[in-house]
Amino acid sequence: MSPLFVLLFILSACSTNEWPQLFGPNSNMVIQAKDLPSEWNDSLNIRWTANLEGEGWSSPIVLGDKIFITSSVLVKEAEKPEPKEETEQQGDQLAEEDKSFETAVYRWQLSCLDAKTGKELWKQVSFEGNPRINKHVGSTYACETPVTDGKYVYAYYGMVGVYCYDLAGNLIWEKDLGAYPMLNGWGTGSSPLVYNGNLYVQVDNEENSFLFALDAATGDEKWKVNRDEKTNYSTPVIWKNVNGDELIVMGLTIRSYNPETGDLIWQLKAGGNYGVPSPVFDAEYIYLGTAAGPGESTSLFAVKAGANGDISLAEGETSNEWVVWSNPNTGLTNSSPVLYNGLIYVVASRGGLVSCVDAATGELYYQEKMSKVGACWASPWIYNDQLYFYDERGVTRILKTGKEFELLSENSLDDKFWASVAPTSDAYIFKGVKKIYCVGK
């Protein structure tokens, strides 16, 4: 399995008519803004660009005329370990774990930009010091997307801690949730979620996995649930359905919790390798699944509102009372799918595979393998009745929505992109490695 497979930290989120999802990680990116451009490149429809300090795979978020981004800045490189002579006895033992990352110094920071100009309004350093866990060479120490409830903005940096700021950049509270090893030292990626005065943080790791609900105003613990899971990278979502609110948390077993108490409502054994993509949903059904490795498949499930208890499929089953359908051939990997007009669109992380699935039956309407598509880590979106997605090379493909595949056009920016797009009222905010871009007419 490629190490990059687990390094998508999505970052996808809900429809824009729900307050907590509007300003943070999304699970269904259907954009309602007006007059967004359909064409752009490095010299067309670029309102402004701003250089980025440090690095971070986290996505930008927008609140009114403000953009919030997190980053980690390398202050001092790690000391290189001295090579050791191998003795006959050492040759029969496992290599000693490299702890040199602990000697590096980073600065974790939250920045606020003016959405109209790209000018930095303020920047706050949340923490400066040594990393507490290792990360993959292709990852960063700022993979989690911040979130806001309109009054405060919350930055979570994996195993560094959670920091709450007001909109002027004043620190309101901070909380250390501990530091635990991740699979193969690849790093973290699950973003926080804010809803109804609670901040939810999923901390799945190799040693001690749990789910926190914190008081969003104070950082005080409201409840904590231990989880029988290992490393996951998915972001929780609130499913507002016909029966009430449910906190959906992904993993090899997908679980629904009561968002006020942490009590388990239902669970579904999903298989796969990791919880990475976020679910999409409407008031009656939620569509979800885990990610598998290259060349492997994992199922996309449709679950009906009102489920209770263990709703896992028995061997050989594809549906039951609560699982309306399951399909192992949708191409679901890292990017979150998007639900629109009764159809689910799935973009595979590698190979240029795009699938269209009937939300009512799970039937595949098409599965098209596009050529010259780079790795796709960001989540796709819908705008003006068209499907958009872009690869890490900065090439955005625009497809016709509907049951038949049709490529309409392509746009390109010269940068590397893992973060998902964030819309303003009349522009797109793209966050690359070199710059942040405001794309608008």
Side-chain angles (χ1 to χ4, degrees), residues 242-261:
V242 292
N243 290 305
D245 295 350
E246 299 182 33
L247 175 63
I248 308 298
V249 182
M250 303 300 293
L252 299 191
T253 298
I254 300 168
R255 294 176 174 89
S256 167
Y257 299 94
N258 182 316
E260 293 302 318
T261 65

Side-chain angles (χ1 to χ4, degrees), residues 245-355:
D245 295 350
E246 299 182 33
L247 175 63
I248 308 298
V249 182
M250 303 300 293
L252 299 191
T253 298
I254 300 168
R255 294 176 174 89
S256 167
Y257 299 94
N258 182 316
E260 293 302 318
T261 65
D263 293 336
L264 183 67
I265 300 175
W266 56 263
Q267 64 180 25
L268 168 65
K269 294 179 181 177
N273 293 81
Y274 314 92
V276 180
S278 292
V280 293
F281 51 83
D282 54 31
E284 295 184 350
Y285 302 96
I286 188 166
Y287 309 92
L288 27 64
T290 57
E296 301 174 340
S297 64
T298 185
S299 289
L300 181 65
F301 301 88
V303 175
K304 183 167 54 176
N308 191 272
D310 191 340
I311 64 170
S312 301
L313 296 173
E315 186 175 353
E317 285 186 333
T318 58
S319 64
N320 59 27
E321 180 183 3
W322 299 111
V323 179
V324 180
W325 55 260
S326 61
N327 186 338
N329 301 311
T330 63
L332 183 68
T333 48
N334 288 323
S335 297
S336 299
V338 62
L339 171 66
Y340 181 67
N341 285 348
L343 300 175
I344 303 169
Y345 299 93
V346 179
V347 178
S349 298
R350 295 188 181 277
L353 191 70
V354 180
S355 306

Side-chain angles (χ1 to χ4, degrees), residues 46-338:
I46 300 294
R47 286 190 183 168
W48 54 260
T49 66
N51 293 327
L52 292 171
E53 182 184 21
E55 58 185 13
W57 293 132
S58 57
S59 298
I61 63 170
V62 176
L63 174 62
D65 60 357
K66 294 181 173 64
I67 299 168
F68 300 97
I69 59 173
T70 56
S71 59
S72 61
V73 180
L74 179 62
V75 177
K76 173 181 172 293
E77 291 187 358
E79 299 171 4
K80 294 182 179 180
E82 295 182 5
K84 297 181 178 180
E85 294 184 6
E86 184 178 296
T87 66
E88 183 176 345
Q89 182 179 4
Q90 289 172 330
D92 296 330
Q93 298 175 348
L94 292 175
E96 184 178 345
E97 183 181 357
D98 181 8
K99 295 279 190 177
S100 60
F101 70 90
E102 295 177 344
T103 64
V105 177
Y106 281 83
R107 183 169 67 246
W108 286 264
Q109 60 191 33
L110 173 70
S111 301
C112 177
L113 308 182
D114 186 310
K116 297 298 183 184
T117 66
K119 178 183 177 182
E120 184 176 273
L121 300 177
W122 53 261
K123 177 173 62 184
Q124 293 294 349
V125 175
S126 301
F127 178 76
E128 182 170 326
N130 308 114
R132 300 165 73 183
I133 63 169
N134 204 355
K135 69 172 182 63
H136 184 268
V137 66
S139 186
T140 76
Y141 280 119
C143 293
E144 296 79 9
T145 296
V147 68
T148 178
D149 55 11
K151 183 178 181 181
Y152 301 115
V153 59
Y154 306 88
Y156 173 55
Y157 308 95
M159 305 301 178
V160 174
V162 186
Y163 299 82
C164 170
Y165 297 89
D166 66 18
L167 301 185
N170 299 305
L171 180 65
I172 304 302
W173 57 261
E174 61 183 273
K175 192 174 186 68
D176 184 355
L177 302 183
Y180 307 95
M182 300 292 286
L183 180 64
N184 295 331
W186 279 332
T188 60
S190 180
S191 301
L193 168 72
V194 64
Y195 183 72
N196 274 359
N198 293 331
L199 184 72
Y200 302 99
V201 187
Q202 178 181 354
V203 188
D204 286 351
N205 55 80
E206 294 300 289
E207 184 177 281
N208 180 26
S209 297
F210 52 86
L211 175 69
F212 258 129
L214 306 176
D215 187 305
T218 66
D220 294 336
E221 181 181 326
K222 285 194 170 181
W223 53 257
K224 178 182 177 182
V225 173
N226 293 323
R227 287 171 49 77
D228 182 19
E229 290 284 341
K230 296 293 186 181
T231 295
N232 286 301
Y233 296 93
S234 53
T235 293
V237 301
I238 293 290
W239 179 23
K240 296 176 70 67
N241 60 56
V242 292
N243 290 305
D245 295 350
E246 299 182 33
L247 175 63
I248 308 298
V249 182
M250 303 300 293
L252 299 191
T253 298
I254 300 168
R255 294 176 174 89
S256 167
Y257 299 94
N258 182 316
E260 293 302 318
T261 65
D263 293 336
L264 183 67
I265 300 175
W266 56 263
Q267 64 180 25
L268 168 65
K269 294 179 181 177
N273 293 81
Y274 314 92
V276 180
S278 292
V280 293
F281 51 83
D282 54 31
E284 295 184 350
Y285 302 96
I286 188 166
Y287 309 92
L288 27 64
T290 57
E296 301 174 340
S297 64
T298 185
S299 289
L300 181 65
F301 301 88
V303 175
K304 183 167 54 176
N308 191 272
D310 191 340
I311 64 170
S312 301
L313 296 173
E315 186 175 353
E317 285 186 333
T318 58
S319 64
N320 59 27
E321 180 183 3
W322 299 111
V323 179
V324 180
W325 55 260
S326 61
N327 186 338
N329 301 311
T330 63
L332 183 68
T333 48
N334 288 323
S335 297
S336 299
V338 62

